[in-house]
Amino acid sequence: GPGDAAVLRIARMYMPWLGKSFDPERSAGVNVLRRTAKAPMKTLWPSYTPERELDDRLECFPFRTRVAPGEVDPEVDVLKIDYDFDANPGFVIRHILDELVDIGDGTYLGKILYRTDKGFRPIGFFSLQPRSVHR
């Protein structure tokens, strides 16, 4: 729809998201963003502080992971990436649930779901390819 086209145009102009960093031992992780995301983040979430600020990136919006049936496709087991806990801002972020599936060749497809009172609504997709992240 028209909203999707607007979001796509904005994402093509400025996409601060670089990927995700996973900690399988803790069933957790963080999103990795460009440092230039700090100012827009402060506008949207004035009291939010990134988990870590490094020279080349920000680590923000921690998540917890678990394997379970998909919300929209319950016949498929997915890696759920859940942001619904106190470390994250209530506005938008805590309503997000990502679901990740392996589509082969080291590529993972992520479905972004938005939690509402009536259930989950798909709002987007992303892909991930494993690579090393500097710690």
Side-chain angles (χ1 to χ4, degrees):
D4 294 339
V7 169
L8 182 59
R9 278 194 297 278
I10 292 167
R12 285 185 177 151
M13 289 187 304
Y14 176 68
M15 175 50 73
W17 184 71
L18 298 172
K20 298 180 184 298
S21 178
F22 291 87
D23 182 346
E25 292 177 11
R26 291 182 38 239
S27 296
V30 293
N31 281 274
V32 181
L33 283 72
R34 297 180 194 282
R35 287 197 53 84
T36 58
K38 190 170 182 180
M41 282 175 39
K42 281 296 178 193
T43 300
L44 290 170
W45 306 286
S47 64
Y48 180 73
T49 302
E51 299 295 300
R52 289 195 327 168
E53 293 187 42
L54 303 164
D55 291 340
D56 62 340
R57 68 190 182 280
L58 300 173
E59 293 182 351
C60 305
F61 312 125
F63 53 80
R64 296 178 181 142
T65 61
R66 66 186 182 282
V67 175
E71 294 295 331
V72 177
D73 304 298
E75 68 281 0
V76 178
D77 280 344
V78 299
L79 178 66
K80 292 183 179 265
I81 300 171
D82 197 348
Y83 299 92
D84 190 18
F85 57 99
D86 289 341
N88 288 314
F91 176 64
V92 178
I93 302 301
R94 289 188 60 181
H95 293 269
I96 300 293
L97 175 70
D98 295 334
E99 294 186 337
L100 209 60
V101 294
D102 184 348
I103 59 172
D105 295 332
T107 301
Y108 295 83
L109 177 64
K111 183 185 298 182
I112 306 166
L113 303 174
Y114 191 80
R115 187 180 283 110
T116 70
D117 292 340
K118 296 177 183 174
F120 289 90
R121 178 177 174 257
I123 61 170
F125 295 90
F126 62 93
S127 64
L128 293 175
Q129 292 182 321
R131 62 180 167 169
S132 64
V133 175
H134 304 286
R135 293 226 174 244

